Amino acid sequence: MSKTLQAIKFDSGDRTLEILDQLKLPHISEYVSIKDTKDGFDAIRSMTVRGAPAIAIVAALSLAVELNKKFVVEPTSANAEEVATYVKEKLAYLVESRPTAVNLSRAAKDLTLLVDENKNNGSGKDLAELVIKAAEAMLEADVADNKAIGKNGAEWAIKQLLLPSDSSDSKFSALTICNTGSLATAGYGTALGIIRSLYSSGRLDHTYACETRPYNQGSRLTAYELVYDQIPATLITDNMATALLSQRERGPRGESHAPVRLIVVGADRVARNGDTANKIGTHQLAVLAKHFNKQGDAVRFVVAAPTTSIDLNTATGADIVIEERPQHELVQVRGPEVIGGQVSSDSEHRTVHVAAPGIDVWNPAFDVTPHALIDAIVTERGVAEKNAAGDFDLDVLF
Ligand code: MRU
């Protein structure tokens, strides 16, 4: 199959769902069919689909596919109350697939509210239809939200980082971590959406992508998206970020790239005070931005997230549950063989072990960046900045 960035394919006619298998990217583009909530749960848990918005959308659509089969296509005597109970049970099951990203539990809460509000009107089939339509609407809204985040973030960064005296072709470079692009969402992306938007505006000189150990979303997925869109970019390992930021005039290997002035990351959950859980390794980038941010040579650290990633019910980052992934994801790597110096396109993918057998492993999937280190939280509804006391007021976005 030819290369694609479309992570989620939902056919609204026959109500079938397919997702791009992100375990096989970037070498193989293959869709897997999601036929029910069990398939949805397994795809999310195994990271066949990942990224906070994509997880929530796939969970909701997997429920839509199941409801369509059970209560719309097949004749049913279930009443609305019974369908509501069924929906709530399935949502409770789906939210257990991954704990940190709030988008999934928020989608579950919204759908729970929808069925509770409508369980006394109409038939079971009518209620199933309502949930299916709501799940479809999530898919549609996400792309528009991401484009707005891209626009808001690019405008903010240009205003912050380029002085009125800068020439009309002045540029800066950006650094990002994990994958926050089309593959992590319904399309376009959040942090990667800002990079896409900045590149289109002609103000982005170069993008650096952190490899994002241990799961390599940066080297496998973000790098794939950047190459696909032909955005000038360089891959670094996570522990090269300080060396990269130290290059205030020149890029690596002596190339004259504009210095990195923007570090832009996604979010799995933004707490009420702005503390942000995102891919492990994010916090250290925020510390770096603070360290290198000097008068006359600004480095800004920006979180890009749809408002569905903001959790006003979680007071601070200390209350966010951080998922721990299985040990094997850190010590094993999977991919095609390299034969004669070339990536073999037709070899079976193989798994190799890259650590000393027997060593204990800690594998948290996310860390929490304190709001004190965050300059702005860019959403589809606008950009939140801290007040003079150093506090975010995220309520104003709702
Ligand atoms: O473990 P993952 O790959 O699901 O982690 C993804 C991230 O941390 C992203 O930065 C976040 O979900 C935002 S995606 C738009």
Side-chain angles (χ1 to χ4, degrees):
M1 209 197 98
S2 58
K3 291 181 173 179
T4 172
L5 296 185
Q6 192 180 355
I8 304 167
K9 278 205 289 196
F10 183 72
D11 185 325
S12 48
D14 60 10
R15 289 173 170 166
T16 51
L17 173 63
E18 289 186 315
I19 57 166
L20 190 57
D21 186 344
Q22 298 194 31
L23 299 173
K24 294 193 174 149
L25 287 175
H27 304 290
I28 297 172
S29 296
E30 199 173 275
Y31 282 94
V32 288
S33 173
I34 303 292
K35 296 203 171 62
D36 52 27
T37 48
K38 160 97 174 60
D39 286 351
F41 180 99
D42 291 345
I44 295 166
R45 171 68 60 90
S46 65
M47 309 229 321
T48 306
V49 61
R50 26 66 48 205
I55 290 170
I57 294 166
V58 167
L61 288 174
S62 75
L63 176 62
V65 172
E66 184 169 317
L67 293 178
N68 183 56
K69 183 159 179 286
K70 206 169 160 53
F71 299 112
V72 177
V73 174
E74 285 168 17
T76 176
S77 58
N79 62 32
E81 182 121 28
E82 284 161 342
V83 171
T85 304
Y86 187 91
V87 166
K88 286 194 274 185
E89 268 169 24
K90 293 296 172 178
L91 289 170
Y93 163 68
L94 284 163
V95 294
E96 292 301 312
S97 55
R98 290 192 78 190
T100 303
V102 71
N103 308 56
L104 174 53
S105 48
R106 191 194 186 94
K109 268 192 203 133
D110 289 350
L111 293 177
T112 298
L113 196 68
L114 182 75
V115 294
D116 275 342
E117 279 174 357
N118 291 282
K119 65 184 177 195
N120 299 321
N121 322 320
S123 65
K125 184 176 169 185
D126 291 340
L127 189 58
E129 282 286 356
L130 213 57
V131 177
I132 294 165
K133 294 265 157 51
E136 264 192 274
M138 283 173 59
L139 180 70
E140 279 152 28
D142 193 53
V143 181
D145 286 352
N146 293 338
K147 294 226 162 119
I149 290 170
K151 181 172 175 291
N152 292 343
E155 283 170 3
W156 183 89
I158 290 166
K159 212 155 87 196
Q160 286 278 316
L161 296 170
L162 296 174
L163 303 171
S165 57
D166 283 334
S167 66
S168 60
D169 59 355
S170 293
K171 294 182 182 189
F172 53 87
S173 295
L175 171 66
T176 191
I177 188 166
C178 197
N179 173 262
T180 58
S182 293
L183 298 169
T185 62
Y188 199 71
T190 58
L192 205 51
I194 294 180
I195 286 173
R196 285 194 159 97
S197 178
L198 278 170
Y199 179 64
S200 320
S201 75
R203 293 304 203 156
L204 188 66
D205 186 42
H206 207 76
T207 297
Y208 294 90
C210 285
E211 177 189 32
T212 319
R213 284 284 291 146
Y215 212 66
N216 296 333
Q217 289 94 330
S219 56
R220 293 189 304 110
L221 307 175
T222 297
Y224 174 77
E225 291 202 33
L226 291 165
V227 170
Y228 187 98
D229 274 0
Q230 299 183 5
I231 297 175
T234 299
L235 179 66
I236 61 167
T237 64
D238 307 335
N239 52 358
M240 293 173 188
T242 312
L244 174 69
L245 266 287
S246 303
Q247 317 256 327
R248 299 314 304 150
E249 300 302 327
R250 294 163 70 77
R253 302 190 303 259
E255 294 156 16
S256 343
H257 292 151
V260 172
R261 291 227 159 123
L262 180 70
I263 301 181
V264 58
V265 304
D268 285 83
R269 189 182 296 243
V270 180
R272 173 177 272 278
N273 70 344
D275 293 352
T276 296
N278 189 50
K279 181 52 52 195
I280 190 77
T282 300
H283 184 174
Q284 68 201 17
L285 298 182
V287 174
L288 277 187
K290 189 66 131 197
H291 178 75
F292 283 100
N293 185 36
K294 303 259 157 54
Q295 195 122 49
D297 184 16
V299 179
R300 294 282 183 260
F301 182 88
V302 169
V303 169
T307 45
T308 48
S309 300
I310 298 175
D311 180 9
L312 296 178
N313 295 320
T314 295
T316 74
D319 303 316
I320 299 175
V321 175
I322 300 294
E323 174 188 15
E324 278 198 37
R325 297 289 304 172
Q327 298 194 358
H328 71 80
E329 288 182 0
L330 192 145
V331 295
Q332 295 176 0
V333 180
R334 191 166 169 78
E337 276 183 289
V338 177
I339 300 172
Q342 302 290 320
V343 179
S344 165
S345 53
D346 46 30
S347 89
E348 282 286 301
H349 281 196
R350 288 179 196 278
T351 302
V352 293
H353 198 94
V354 291
I359 188 69
D360 180 43
V361 166
W362 182 46
N363 189 11
F366 304 99
D367 59 25
V368 175
T369 302
H371 66 281
L373 297 177
I374 299 171
D375 292 307
I377 299 173
V378 179
T379 75
E380 75 283 9
R381 297 185 192 159
V383 180
E385 291 177 277
K386 287 176 287 194
N387 61 21
D391 298 320
F392 281 109
D393 178 6
L394 298 178
D395 274 305
V396 295
L397 294 168
F398 293 88

